[in-house]
Amino acid sequence: MSKKAFIFDLDGVIVDTAKYHFLAWQKIAKSLNINFTLEDNELLKGVSRVRSLDIILGLGNVQATQEQKDQWLIQKNEDYLSYLVDMDESEVLPGVFKILQLLKDKNQGIALGSASKNARPILEKTGILSYFDVIVDGNDVSNAKPDPEVFLKAAQLLNIDPKNSIVFEDSVAGIQAANIAEMVSVGIGEETILHEADHIFKDFTQITTSFIEKLIS
């Protein structure tokens, strides 16, 4: 059995923090008289904080100075972090613990590849930090997905060839980044949205031991 790199996105893939991003962005949007819905929130998946704000401003056709944008970005992050204070392992999505433990038992390389700049505290609060050999987050990269930088860096730190790497993602941009890097892409979510992925599962409860073993072999 060979050693592969298994790289996981964070928000919406292994922990349920996407709802907190939505609430924080919605608060900013409301202050600007922009109607920001859950459907609009889909546009922000896998997108950097700066780009997310630009998308929201575009929805409301709001013009702003860089100073204003900087202040809103700070406010958004403060609101988001306030929601995370009471996070615990219940925020880990169904089936994730089982897959992480399986990979650990089989001595596979496990990495986080996320745009989040709050990845470490989230992993600590949810009790899964110890599963990860490598963490690459928004503090470590300069290019947002679909640029594959975050995944390539994770594979490099694990000392595993990108072609022997598997990425779990819930966003179109993330799947595209994995494909560009010539990694195996596993979509977590809706098939209609993530159709570019090599494999698609509704959630981790649908991923079998045999599927993982096939990826390793």
Side-chain angles (χ1 to χ4, degrees):
M1 206 171 261
S2 58
K3 186 164 186 174
K4 301 286 181 70
F6 286 81
I7 307 170
F8 296 80
D9 180 41
L10 181 65
D11 297 331
V13 174
I14 57 176
V15 292
D16 188 15
T17 53
K19 61 189 176 187
Y20 299 134
H21 283 293
F22 170 68
L23 290 171
W25 281 127
Q26 191 179 52
K27 186 175 177 181
I28 295 292
K30 190 175 182 180
S31 72
L32 299 171
N33 294 315
I34 299 171
N35 182 34
F36 182 64
T37 66
L38 279 169
E39 288 73 24
D40 295 328
N41 194 53
E42 288 294 314
L43 300 171
L44 310 188
K45 277 192 173 180
V47 175
S48 70
R49 197 184 305 167
V50 172
R51 178 65 186 134
S52 293
L53 177 59
D54 285 338
I55 290 171
I56 291 170
L57 294 178
L59 290 172
N61 198 27
V62 172
Q63 302 296 318
T65 65
Q66 190 58 51
E67 186 179 357
Q68 287 174 311
K69 288 182 180 181
D70 290 343
Q71 186 55 48
W72 292 330
L73 289 170
I74 291 169
Q75 184 61 51
K76 185 269 171 181
N77 197 48
E78 288 177 350
D79 289 337
Y80 172 67
L81 291 175
S82 73
Y83 293 126
L84 302 184
V85 170
D86 298 321
M87 277 190 81
D88 57 28
E89 66 178 37
S90 68
E91 303 281 357
V92 178
L93 292 167
V96 170
F97 273 113
K98 177 187 172 184
I99 297 301
L100 289 175
Q101 189 60 55
L102 176 63
L103 294 172
K104 204 74 172 173
D105 291 344
K106 294 186 177 296
N107 195 34
Q108 296 301 300
I110 305 175
L112 188 84
S114 169
S116 173
K117 292 190 174 182
N118 304 296
R120 285 182 182 276
I122 289 172
L123 294 177
E124 286 174 1
K125 283 178 173 291
T126 53
I128 54 177
L129 180 62
S130 61
Y131 284 100
F132 292 89
D133 304 303
V134 164
I135 295 172
V136 182
D137 63 18
N139 299 299
D140 306 310
V141 295
S142 52
N143 298 308
K145 303 165 188 175
D147 189 288
E149 181 186 10
V150 67
F151 297 146
L152 290 172
K153 189 163 188 176
Q156 181 185 26
L157 290 172
L158 286 169
N159 199 28
I160 294 175
D161 192 301
K163 291 182 180 179
N164 289 323
S165 302
I166 299 95
V167 170
F168 295 87
E169 260 286 356
D170 72 325
S171 72
V172 173
I175 294 298
Q176 290 173 340
N179 291 342
I180 290 168
E182 297 185 28
M183 298 177 173
V184 175
S185 54
V186 181
I188 304 297
E190 299 296 330
E191 189 171 354
T192 51
I193 297 172
L194 304 175
H195 56 86
E196 293 178 58
D198 296 316
H199 309 277
I200 304 170
F201 298 92
K202 181 81 173 174
D203 57 39
F204 278 89
T205 64
Q206 295 188 348
I207 299 179
T208 62
T209 300
S210 61
F211 174 75
I212 296 296
E213 288 175 344
K214 198 171 180 181
L215 290 175
I216 296 171
S217 63

